[in-house]
Amino acid sequence: MGDFQTHEHDVLVIGAGGAGLRAAIEAAGDCSVGLVCKSLLGKAHTVMAEGGVAAAMANVDERDGWETHFADTMRGGQYLNNPMMAELHAKEAPARVHELEEWGALFDRTRDGRILQRNFGGHAYPRLAHVGDRTGLEMIRTLQDHGIHQGLEVYMECTVIELLKDGDRVVGAFGYDRERGRFRLFKAKSIVLATGGVGRAFKVTSNSWEYTGDGHSLAYHAGADLLDMEFIQFHPTGMVWPPSVRGILVTEGVRGEGGILTNSEGKRFMFDDIPELYKDSTADTPEEGWRYVTGDKEARRPPELLTRDHVARCILKEVSEGRGSPHGGAFLDIAWIKEKFANSEEHIKKKLPSMYHQFKQLANLDITKEPMEVGPTTHYVMGGVRVDAETQMSTVSGLFAAGEVAAGLHGANRLGGNSLSDLLVFGKRAGEYAAKFAQENGGGKIDDAEVDALAKAALEPLERDGDGENPYEIQRELQEMMQDKVGIIREDGLMKEAIDDIAKLAERATQATAHGNREYNPGWHTALDLKCLLTVSEASARAALERRESRGAQTRNDFPDKDPDDWGQHNLLLRKGADGAMEVDKVPVVPQTEQQKKIIEDNQ
Amino acid sequence: MAKVDFKIWRGDAKGGGYQDFSTDVTEGMVVLDSVHQIQAESANDLACRWNCKAGKCGSCSAEVNGHPRLMCMMRMDEVLAETPKGAPVTIQPMKAFPVVKDLVTDVSSNFEIKKKIKPFKPRKPDAEDGTWRMVQEDVDRVQEFRKCIECFLCQDVCHVLREHSLHDEFIGPRFLVYAAALEMHPLDTEDRTTELKNAHGIGYCNITKCCTNVCPEHITITDNAIIPLKERVVDKHYDPLGKLWRWIHGTEKEANDQQ
Ligand SMILES: Cc1cc2nc3c(=O)[nH]c(=O)nc-3n(C[C@H](O)[C@H](O)[C@H](O)COP(=O)(O)OP(=O)(O)OC[C@H]3O[C@@H](n4cnc5c(N)ncnc54)[C@H](O)[C@@H]3O)c2cc1C
Ligand code: SF4
Ligand code: SF4
Ligand code: FES
């Protein structure tokens, strides 16, 4: 066997964001647990989450409850969600949030000392527990600081590049440590994928270098089903100026606190187009909208808080019809609330400190005084590994998935705040059932020859030593192509081109080359990431091409309407065929129980 | 658009030196953008850490023109304004930590230090349903400390670590902030003063405030975290009568919390 270190654990968790940490903590009770992540501990994407974590604790509005949260999540997902996951999520989120408090988290408080909750798009009541606009930091730090005392073995700055199987079950993972470039072999009885999303497949994104779709790709190549890959959320409010910060997120919390969207004519355009599904729950006038954000329970929410897919399309429409802001976005104005109360500047700084800081430092703009310029940015992937609702096990035995890498909870569109709660609820479940699986099943056998071949293949970019394709260039071309052809507005011809382009880029990627040696070499890492990026890009393009309707995050020029009878009843699966080609399969949605149907009806 | 010259430290644990680069800088670019551009154009294997590009994760710490900073939050126009005309912008790794490669340092000691600090231990829940009640005013103070993004710039700048390398004797400002967040947490019942005095070496801090000045999260490290902790330590260890009184009244921890 080649040169690598071997580590053995009952449960291996790949990813140390909210989902991975929560899974690892849960599994650690009864098992030896290894936790692998590409960055340092505490730097995963979860740290960037701003707005809050959704849980129907009813601390601010006593009318809230799990049923309403469930119904909101299903409506937001346009009924393509797995209803069982949506139910478990809504029921268990409050307990998971309280558990964080038990581990030291300090959320903002209500007057009577409970956890404060804020409004967010698509949620009927104030539901997001938060800490100013740095909720993700609070969450990951709490999990991290609790987790380090649970006996986990943490492997930081280590990238997994392949899952290893014995027959039809997973038995290990193979990767390299980024610092020294040495290979690592992990043997495990069960594996939890918690690797997050795919945003780096697009040019304009709120996601970091980590989001190359590794978990999606690892699972796919190990034979697992992917689900709903056409649904990629474009968040309506990313920064648009200056160019180097294009895509960086502006939290929905700005709108939750009363921020409004206007066009170059100063018009609050969101009132112009309110979808049927939300007519009854949306304010008629700006005045009613303001009453809503300031806590009037009789008022209905302002149209800025409609679902993300809708708000993103409305902004694009303003831009394409010539009413955009100077740099091709819309104006997001929170400064206007000074009309409403005296100390508005202090209020904004207190409620949105990191947004204040971000704009001040990066765009030289004071959000307490001037409107921001914002436009859509690639933000989140609803699609992912298909899992069992209760156990989070994928279609491959012993392989579990939780958090953004898993699919099912969000359907065609995710509501803000429902990701952080997803991580906690299903991270815990994945950890629990992965531990159970490990205890009930012994270890498997690892094929040494396979491992040697993987190590050899991984070194190829370095061996070409500069003589071949620049991996950064391939990555850049892919991102631009995906943005143009599989972006917010899609159509048949462009997506077919995209699939051809991906094949050509994949061919070039086999010749990717890296200068230098194995130590902390980002060129080499980028070359190895390409396989994952190309896999998830292909999955998204193929699924989006197949779904001939517009729904949730998928908007098609050529099929602008929803198709409730056919596509509204189906999800798309992607899997690796026997010949190695990607197959797309149309399957009926998971049916709702009678009780679930009734809850949805009662909450219309 | 203008060409800007850079001197970037390159090398590894065995040694290294500055290498010259030059790249175009356009409006709004930050230092990290320049480093990425150089990486993509002419030095594919140039190592640096980053994640969020928005000052939220604390990955991209380095020394720019000699000042410890987050590269993602430092605008190039500001950097150029402070760089003498004709001189290059210099970027080097944090000095207080061993170099791994180029701008990447070995910060693993920080993760080890944290494990040694006694974890959070909450009091019994206040309500029947297992939850607690806390007022915002009490939470505010600790929330300031919990803003820390673990960039370790304060550890980098603290002379006790940077000049005197007392990494084994002194936990450093980041972990005094961490200990303060635990000690002043309204629900916490643990007592960490003995360790703070002995193993954690709080006495080494002579309140130079360099850490506070460099903190990108604007945490008032010295005044709000370290000084109150020092007072607790003194109070507990050099005030035998007070200690006896609290012991008799069983209010050790609460007495501290009320300060
Ligand atoms: C700017 C921003 C703001 C957001 N705000 C909110 C919000 O307010 N509310 C909300 O609910 N959601 C929000 N989201 C979404 C939410 O933060 C993410 O969906 C969520 O944090 C993902 O968590 P995770 O645990 O699935 O993955 P992550 O936290 O991204 O963690 C992924 C982990 O997997 C590791 N990993 C990946 N690939 C590999 C590999 N090959 N080998 C080893 N390790 C690997 C990474 O290193 C990392 O540790 C926001 C997202 C962004 C980008
Ligand atoms: S105030 Fe104390 S901890 Fe901060 S830099 Fe000075 S000596 Fe170090
Ligand atoms: S206290 Fe400030 S400077 Fe120190 S690690 Fe935390 S954020 Fe960085
Ligand atoms: S990249 Fe996250 S703080 Fe700079």
Side-chain angles (χ1 to χ4, degrees):
Chain A
M1 282 222 269
D3 73 297
F4 47 78
Q5 287 173 284
T6 305
H7 312 276
E8 221 171 317
H9 294 284
D10 295 326
V11 178
L12 182 72
V13 179
I14 306 175
L21 277 163
R22 188 63 192 81
I25 289 169
E26 196 63 21
D30 312 306
C31 291
S32 114
V33 178
L35 178 63
V36 193
C37 53
K38 292 204 282 191
S39 293
L40 297 172
L41 193 59
K43 311 292 183 198
H45 240 76
T46 301
V47 81
M48 293 168 225
E50 295 161 355
V53 42
M57 298 183 285
N59 288 353
V60 172
D61 193 320
E62 65 287 351
R63 290 171 298 178
D64 203 8
W66 77 262
E67 293 89 345
T68 323
H69 191 185
F70 164 77
D72 288 347
T73 302
M74 292 297 293
R75 185 195 298 141
Q78 309 254 347
Y79 305 105
L80 292 187
N81 334 45
N82 178 331
M84 197 55 215
M85 282 178 81
E87 179 175 334
L88 290 171
H89 167 254
K91 280 183 171 160
E92 293 173 10
R96 295 286 83 78
V97 171
H98 284 135
E99 190 172 66
L100 289 182
E101 193 154 271
E102 189 183 323
W103 297 342
L106 275 176
F107 293 101
D108 288 351
R109 317 307 297 180
T110 61
R111 262 178 231 278
D112 64 349
R114 294 162 202 263
I115 295 175
L116 182 61
Q117 301 184 270
R118 69 158 46 119
N119 287 308
F120 238 56
H123 293 280
Y125 303 114
R127 192 176 281 147
L128 271 68
H130 60 276
V131 186
D133 53 4
R134 56 162 190 86
T135 315
L137 170 64
E138 187 69 15
M139 208 170 110
I140 199 165
R141 201 66 83 231
T142 302
L143 291 168
Q144 172 189 347
D145 294 350
H146 182 71
I148 55 173
H149 297 288
Q150 310 305 309
L152 311 170
E153 192 71 46
V154 184
Y155 304 88
M156 293 190 222
E157 301 203 303
C158 173
T159 306
V160 170
I161 53 175
E162 196 85 30
L163 297 178
L164 305 169
K165 286 171 74 180
D166 179 3
D168 55 10
R169 86 172 252 225
V170 291
V171 290
F174 184 73
Y176 62 89
D177 84 70
R178 300 168 57 80
E179 275 194 13
R180 309 259 171 246
R182 288 169 306 206
F183 291 119
R184 289 183 191 275
L185 172 64
F186 297 95
K187 295 185 176 174
K189 296 173 187 157
S190 61
I191 293 183
V192 179
L193 290 172
T195 52
V198 308
R200 279 275 140 185
F202 294 82
K203 183 175 161 210
V204 179
T205 177
S206 64
N207 296 169
S208 83
W209 66 269
E210 292 203 312
Y211 268 27
T212 43
D214 299 9
H216 292 76
S217 170
L218 291 169
Y220 168 83
H221 290 289
D225 288 352
L226 300 183
L227 177 75
D228 291 341
M229 287 300 289
E230 66 275 37
F231 296 117
I232 291 181
Q233 181 169 78
F234 298 93
H235 193 290
T237 60
M239 291 176 82
V240 296
W241 186 259
S244 66
V245 298
R246 194 171 185 124
I248 291 181
L249 195 76
V250 181
T251 175
E252 190 167 323
V254 176
R255 285 168 283 144
E257 296 296 337
I260 58 172
L261 286 164
T262 59
N263 63 21
S264 60
E265 295 162 2
K267 181 160 190 245
R268 199 167 159 189
F269 56 86
M270 288 303 301
F271 276 103
D272 296 350
D273 177 6
I274 296 167
E276 215 39 62
L277 211 51
Y278 289 93
K279 274 248 150 62
D280 295 339
S281 53
T282 306
D284 288 329
T285 60
E287 187 271 330
E288 183 181 1
W290 174 249
R291 281 198 285 121
Y292 177 86
V293 295
T294 49
D296 180 343
K297 293 179 182 169
E298 300 308 309
R300 293 167 300 173
R301 71 193 113 155
E304 276 83 3
L305 289 178
L306 286 163
T307 53
R308 292 179 173 174
D309 51 322
H310 179 74
V311 181
R313 277 191 300 271
C314 290
I315 293 177
L316 278 189
K317 180 156 171 269
E318 294 305 305
V319 176
S320 67
E321 291 174 6
R323 295 183 299 275
S325 66
H327 303 103
F331 294 106
L332 172 61
D333 189 0
I334 181 77
W336 81 276
I337 67 171
K338 61 177 172 273
E339 292 168 19
K340 297 288 181 182
F341 51 96
N343 57 347
S344 69
E345 292 191 11
E346 283 319 303
H347 178 79
I348 294 168
K349 283 186 207 166
K350 164 86 194 149
K351 283 294 176 185
L352 302 162
S354 71
M355 278 307 105
Y356 172 75
H357 194 55
Q358 182 175 313
F359 272 89
K360 193 94 189 131
Q361 193 63 27
L362 297 176
N364 217 355
L365 185 144
D366 182 346
I367 67 168
T368 68
K369 299 200 169 71
E370 297 164 79
M372 304 158 244
E373 272 188 76
V374 295
T377 182
T378 316
H379 185 55
Y380 184 89
V381 59
M382 274 67 75
V385 180
R386 180 195 192 190
V387 290
D388 175 70
E390 283 188 41
T391 64
Q392 299 291 106
M393 189 155 94
S394 72
T395 48
V396 169
S397 183
L399 181 64
F400 297 74
E404 191 166 340
V405 67
L409 172 60
H410 309 293
N413 180 47
R414 171 180 74 95
L415 297 185
N418 267 0
S419 170
L420 293 185
S421 43
D422 173 9
L423 312 182
L424 296 173
V425 169
F426 293 107
K428 174 180 186 292
R429 283 184 166 269
E432 180 181 335
Y433 287 95
K436 199 154 174 268
F437 185 96
Q439 283 160 342
E440 288 167 2
N441 297 272
K445 202 182 148 354
I446 290 194
D447 179 350
D448 295 345
E450 183 188 356
V451 175
D452 283 337
L454 287 171
K456 192 163 169 292
L459 289 174
E460 277 171 12
L462 287 170
E463 272 147 21
R464 286 183 204 108
D465 197 23
D467 206 14
E469 294 272 355
N470 178 345
Y472 289 96
E473 181 56 25
I474 299 177
Q475 187 184 15
R476 193 188 58 78
E477 285 180 37
L478 176 70
Q479 290 165 339
E480 273 178 15
M481 186 283 288
M482 287 296 286
Q483 188 82 30
D484 293 345
K485 298 181 180 172
V486 198
I488 308 182
I489 312 279
R490 299 165 171 175
E491 61 185 55
D492 181 88
L494 285 177
M495 287 191 287
K496 285 185 176 143
E497 276 179 41
I499 291 168
D500 290 341
D501 293 347
I502 290 167
K504 286 186 205 125
L505 288 166
E507 188 55 40
R508 284 170 58 193
T510 62
Q511 298 308 311
T513 172
H515 295 272
N517 58 28
R518 285 163 74 169
E519 286 179 14
Y520 220 111
N521 185 341
W524 181 40
H525 303 163
T526 303
L528 295 178
D529 290 343
L530 289 173
K531 175 179 169 190
C532 303
L533 273 177
L534 288 158
T535 302
V536 293
S537 298
E538 182 180 351
S540 291
R542 285 194 188 277
L545 175 66
E546 192 67 22
R547 178 172 290 277
R548 287 180 291 279
E549 68 157 353
S550 295
R551 173 182 302 272
Q554 155 114 326
T555 307
R556 289 193 54 161
N557 258 341
D558 43 358
F559 297 96
D561 299 321
K562 271 194 242 183
D563 170 5
D565 299 325
D566 182 9
W567 284 109
Q569 306 299 325
H570 290 90
N571 296 99
L572 286 171
L573 290 182
L574 297 121
R575 65 168 75 94
K576 197 168 177 172
D579 59 351
M582 194 177 279
E583 288 172 1
V584 190
D585 199 5
K586 184 173 171 185
V587 296
V589 295
V590 179
Q592 297 163 9
T593 62
E594 288 310 312
Q595 191 209 13
Q596 289 168 339
K597 279 186 196 151
K598 180 154 185 315
I599 294 171
I600 289 171
E601 243 160 59
D602 292 348
N603 282 282
Q604 278 308 338
Chain B
M1 180 149 35
K3 276 254 184 261
V4 171
D5 294 329
F6 289 85
K7 267 170 109 70
I8 301 181
W9 195 91
R10 302 212 57 192
D12 54 27
K14 292 183 249 40
Y18 286 100
Q19 200 174 322
D20 295 328
F21 296 98
S22 147
T23 195
D24 288 325
V25 168
T26 53
E27 188 182 347
M29 268 171 74
V30 293
V31 174
L32 184 65
D33 293 321
S34 311
V35 171
H36 279 157
Q37 208 165 286
I38 289 167
Q39 194 182 55
E41 289 167 358
S42 51
N44 282 189
D45 59 345
L46 170 61
C48 77
R49 286 198 182 100
W50 68 284
N51 280 81
C52 67
K53 229 177 147 306
K56 295 191 169 69
C57 72
S59 301
C60 62
S61 308
E63 300 189 5
V64 181
N65 284 343
H67 302 287
R69 284 163 171 169
L70 295 178
M71 289 192 286
C72 72
M73 293 303 273
M74 198 60 211
R75 278 213 314 273
M76 281 305 299
D77 54 0
E78 287 174 349
V79 174
L80 289 172
E82 70 174 24
T83 311
K85 254 211 153 36
V89 174
T90 60
I91 312 177
Q92 68 197 92
M94 285 194 285
K95 191 184 154 203
F97 302 105
V99 172
V100 172
K101 188 179 160 200
D102 305 340
L103 302 177
V104 173
T105 53
D106 178 359
V107 291
S108 56
S109 56
N110 293 296
F111 295 89
E112 294 309 315
I113 295 172
K114 194 188 249 184
K115 273 197 211 155
K116 296 195 188 121
I117 298 172
K118 281 191 195 151
F120 178 64
K121 196 165 124 198
R123 68 174 183 234
K124 280 217 279 299
D126 302 331
E128 294 253 312
D129 63 357
T131 59
W132 288 269
R133 299 290 175 271
M134 287 177 264
V135 289
Q136 186 64 43
E137 291 70 49
D138 292 345
V139 165
D140 276 339
R141 175 164 75 158
V142 181
Q143 282 184 336
E144 179 192 0
F145 305 143
R146 293 184 65 92
K147 287 194 305 191
C148 170
I149 56 175
E150 301 199 330
C151 64
F152 307 129
L153 287 172
C154 55
Q155 303 285 89
D156 183 42
V157 84
C158 175
H159 68 105
V160 183
L161 305 172
R162 189 182 177 96
E163 320 293 344
H164 306 288
S165 298
L166 293 172
H167 290 91
D168 294 330
E169 286 89 352
F170 179 53
I171 57 175
R174 158 56 190 139
F175 296 97
L176 291 173
V177 169
Y178 178 67
L182 290 164
E183 282 285 305
M184 299 179 204
H185 192 299
L187 304 185
D188 185 64
T189 57
E190 191 61 87
D191 183 345
R192 300 169 189 81
T193 43
T194 308
E195 290 87 343
L196 280 167
K197 175 170 176 285
N198 301 325
H200 302 337
I202 192 169
Y204 283 103
C205 164
N206 57 346
I207 320 199
T208 58
K209 302 200 184 188
C210 311
C211 50
T212 303
N213 293 335
V214 84
C215 176
E217 285 294 308
H218 306 292
I219 302 171
T220 321
I221 303 176
T222 335
D223 291 6
N224 291 355
I226 300 180
I227 293 176
L229 281 184
K230 278 178 175 272
E231 284 168 358
R232 279 183 188 219
V233 170
V234 168
D235 193 51
K236 176 117 189 290
H237 290 271
Y238 301 93
D239 175 18
L241 278 180
K243 198 176 162 184
L244 184 68
W245 189 85
R246 283 192 301 274
W247 183 73
I248 294 166
H249 293 78
T251 53
E252 192 80 52
K253 174 82 184 186
E254 285 114 79
N256 282 331
D257 276 335
Q258 274 148 21
Q259 286 171 8

